Amino acid sequence: MRWAHGAGPARRYHLARTLRRGALLLLVVGIGSFFLTHPWDSVREISDPVEHFKYGSVGADDENGLPLRIIEVLPTVFADLLPEGAPNDLSAFGFIYEPGRRMPVGFSERVRIVPLIGMNCATCHTSVVRVSPDDRGYVEVAMGSTILDLQGFLSFLFAVVDDPRFSSETLIAAMNEVEPLSTIDTWLYKALIPTM
């Protein structure tokens, strides 16, 4: 403890400088690791033209993108605001889900720190064709949708953001039920949800 009581100004200066450098290094490493796991801007490239039509970005997910994790839990959290008897997902408004897809046809995805979604042309120009009433049908692109209720979907979104249940606490709990959020993502959504 000799240096603690009798340390001269030069030694204290070097100790303070070392601590500042260490703190700066930790800050740089923390910010770097954050952006390695949360890219500032990346969009999924799709080479197949039909898949690109269905899920490719036309830019709506850029400045006006909606957070994917939030949108996918809204039909569960606000099931009472869906059309009566509708399933608790976006198919309640006529959106078409394909097996293995998180979002329906017509939604593109971009990661801008958090995954964002936007609608593309396939939202209104894709439908399901059935050859009989019992047939599950197949997805046909480049035709007008016969089942989409876009106005109903937008009305649902407006009703949701006016609902007192639309809060960080409620939505983060719902997102954690689907897939647990990291601590960083929890803080990101706590900051993001009130801005919506």
Side-chain angles (χ1 to χ4, degrees):
M1 291 295 232
R2 194 182 116 231
W3 65 271
H5 293 291
R11 185 155 180 114
R12 283 194 301 269
Y13 169 78
H14 288 297
L15 178 62
R17 187 174 70 179
T18 302
L19 289 173
R20 279 194 305 270
R21 285 182 179 170
L24 182 61
L25 179 63
L26 284 173
L27 181 65
V28 168
V29 168
I31 291 172
S33 65
F34 174 80
F35 282 106
L36 284 175
T37 58
H38 295 77
W40 171 247
D41 191 11
S42 69
V43 65
R44 202 175 103 216
E45 297 296 326
I46 304 171
S47 58
D48 178 82
V50 174
E51 290 299 299
H52 188 272
F53 180 78
K54 293 192 288 187
Y55 299 104
S57 176
V58 294
D61 53 13
D62 190 2
E63 290 183 21
N64 299 313
L66 297 171
L68 180 149
R69 297 287 311 267
I70 294 172
I71 296 300
E72 73 180 347
V73 300
L74 293 182
T76 303
V77 175
F78 300 95
D80 58 312
L81 300 179
L82 294 173
E84 191 173 331
N88 289 359
D89 60 28
L90 297 182
S91 67
F93 303 103
F95 290 104
I96 303 163
Y97 282 90
E98 291 188 305
R101 294 285 185 170
R102 196 167 185 171
M103 292 301 292
V105 171
F107 284 87
S108 61
E109 185 179 335
R110 171 185 301 269
V111 176
R112 183 161 278 168
I113 300 182
V114 298
L116 302 173
I117 57 165
M119 289 188 252
N120 66 19
C121 302
T123 302
C124 296
H125 296 282
T126 302
S127 198
V128 175
V129 176
R130 293 179 175 85
V131 295
S132 72
D134 300 334
D135 183 27
R136 289 183 51 118
Y138 62 91
V139 175
E140 184 65 45
V141 298
M143 69 176 281
S145 176
T146 58
I147 56 176
L148 179 64
D149 181 8
L150 192 56
Q151 186 63 45
F153 174 60
L154 296 175
S155 296
F156 169 73
L157 292 181
F158 288 123
V160 161
V161 295
D162 280 339
D163 194 294
R165 294 172 293 172
F166 189 82
S167 67
S168 298
E169 182 180 291
T170 302
L171 295 176
I172 288 171
M175 286 187 276
N176 278 322
E177 285 182 25
V178 174
E179 180 184 331
L181 294 168
S182 69
T183 302
I184 292 175
D185 285 335
T186 299
W187 285 105
L188 279 172
Y189 284 106
K190 278 185 180 180
L192 180 64
I193 290 166
T195 68
M196 291 180 68

